[in-house]
Amino acid sequence: MATTTNIRPRALVRASGGPRYAVALAVDALGTGLLRPFLLLYGVTVLSLSAPATGIAMTAGVVVGLGCMPAVGRWLDRGARSTVVAASMLVRVVGVALLLATPAGHVWLFATAALFLGIGNQAWPAAHAALVATVAHGRERDAALAGGRALRNAGLGVGALVATVCLAGGTTALQALAAVTGLAYLAAAALAWSVHLHARPAAAPAEDRADGPAPRMRALLAANVVYVFCLNVPEIALPLVLVTQLHASPVWSAAVFVANTVLVVTLQVPVTVLMSRRFSRRTVLALAGVVLAASYLGFLAATSPGHGWGAPAVAAVSVLCTIGEIIYAGSATALVTALAPAHVLGRALARFELSTGFGLAVSPAVITALAPHGPAALWGGLAAATLLSASAVATEKDQETQLGDCSRRARAGS
């Protein structure tokens, strides 16, 4: 048997859309890392807006931005690929331009800028997944999607690090970071568009297509809303618990976030390849739920009253949580691309990203609402919901098998 972690970088780059597209992803991620973590700070510091008003405007931008997903799905199903990716980047250029043009105290113009940024951020994942699904097939597609995520996290991390160093320059530095972000988005859009990739769904390989309707994926979409909470655990839940409940130094929160980024960058592709060659995508996704639930129970034990090593224990358990996140991210989108017939791939991915966006939008409110009620409410509730979601994903397996059987019978009769 071949080594499961034998990954050829050149083949991975080709399967991910080619060298120019990989550069576009890196530039786009770098620009996003420069601004996104500090957008709230920009509204408060540069535009003199109140923190609640800034937060509401940002949340509204994300939520309203989700409304573009049905149109994005239909556009993808007409065969567009690199054009949609480039458009998602150009929309964010408009958002940055509006941000730079917003006078101090104008919350509505800031909200409009946040809306355009939200539209681009929501549209990009589905467009990127559709492009990769057109270039790569089978298990190579799983590795390519994982490679794109690792590259994006690396760019986000570098961008955030550069922005953190530049923050000493005050409001002028924040404005400069926003301008550089806009230029990065513009350059990334030009690179992505230059790939000139267009798909003809009817010409997709037989093993990757079926002529039936789009799969409903109800259990998968509902479970994904809960699964995606794991993405906000290092950024919201753990800092909240470490600083306000365990009274630990903010350094612990920063260390957890850095460790999460490094682990995703280094392990996303190897873990995805390892799991994809041993188990079905659905089995891996269900396993991800079990690992995440176990990590939540670990956080419960680490933050319970009387635990003398709260902060170090939380940091240690966060590694397990990151492993669960890596397994989830490496299987969820890949499962959707495998389930959806080629002619409705865009709409299937759009529905999946709607569930992801909804989960990311509501998770901060849910986490901050549960945290004051104690570790049992927060971590016990998340563990129970995630285990239930993993069970729902696993029990939907018969529907996936039935779809595959129908597809095989159709090919045999043709």
Side-chain angles (χ1 to χ4, degrees), residues 101-386:
T102 303
H106 285 64
V107 67
W108 287 108
L109 194 52
F110 174 79
T112 304
L115 171 62
F116 279 97
L117 290 170
I119 290 173
N121 290 332
Q122 298 299 329
W124 181 85
H128 166 70
L131 185 147
V132 172
T134 303
V135 176
H137 306 284
R139 293 299 185 175
E140 185 182 53
R141 177 189 296 169
D142 298 34
L145 290 169
R149 183 170 192 261
L151 179 62
R152 184 164 180 79
N153 273 267
L156 288 171
V158 172
L161 180 62
V162 171
T164 301
V165 173
C166 294
L167 282 180
T171 58
T172 302
L174 283 172
Q175 289 174 316
L177 287 173
V180 172
T181 298
L183 292 175
Y185 287 153
L186 188 61
L191 285 168
W193 179 81
S194 71
V195 174
H196 296 303
L197 182 64
H198 191 86
R200 294 183 60 190
E207 64 202 83
D208 285 336
R209 70 182 289 265
D211 293 324
R216 293 183 178 181
M217 305 185 298
R218 290 176 178 173
L220 175 59
L221 296 177
N224 187 55
V225 173
V226 177
Y227 270 78
V228 82
F229 273 53
C230 71
L231 301 181
N232 274 331
V233 166
E235 296 185 26
I236 297 174
L238 295 187
L240 181 66
V241 169
L242 285 168
V243 175
T244 66
Q245 295 182 4
L246 299 180
H247 307 290
S249 168
V251 172
W252 284 104
S253 301
V256 167
F257 182 79
V258 170
N260 175 270
T261 302
V262 171
L263 288 172
V264 169
V265 171
T266 56
L267 297 181
Q268 184 67 70
V269 174
V271 170
T272 300
V273 172
L274 183 69
M275 301 298 289
S276 69
R277 293 186 180 180
R278 281 175 163 78
F279 308 104
S280 71
R281 297 177 181 91
R282 188 176 291 280
T283 299
V284 175
L285 186 55
L287 176 62
V290 174
V291 174
L292 288 171
S295 72
Y296 296 152
L297 293 176
F299 289 132
L300 174 59
T303 57
S304 296
H307 198 295
W309 295 87
V314 166
V317 175
S318 70
V319 174
L320 180 62
C321 185
T322 299
I323 296 299
E325 174 192 333
I326 289 170
I327 298 173
Y328 154 68
S331 57
T333 304
L335 177 59
V336 174
T337 61
L339 286 175
H343 65 285
V344 290
L345 175 63
R347 276 166 283 183
L349 286 169
R351 290 168 59 201
F352 179 74
E353 291 305 327
L354 272 172
S355 71
T356 299
F358 179 75
L360 288 174
V362 303
S363 56
V366 173
I367 289 170
T368 53
L370 290 176
H373 297 285
L378 175 59
W379 301 117
L382 287 178
T386 306

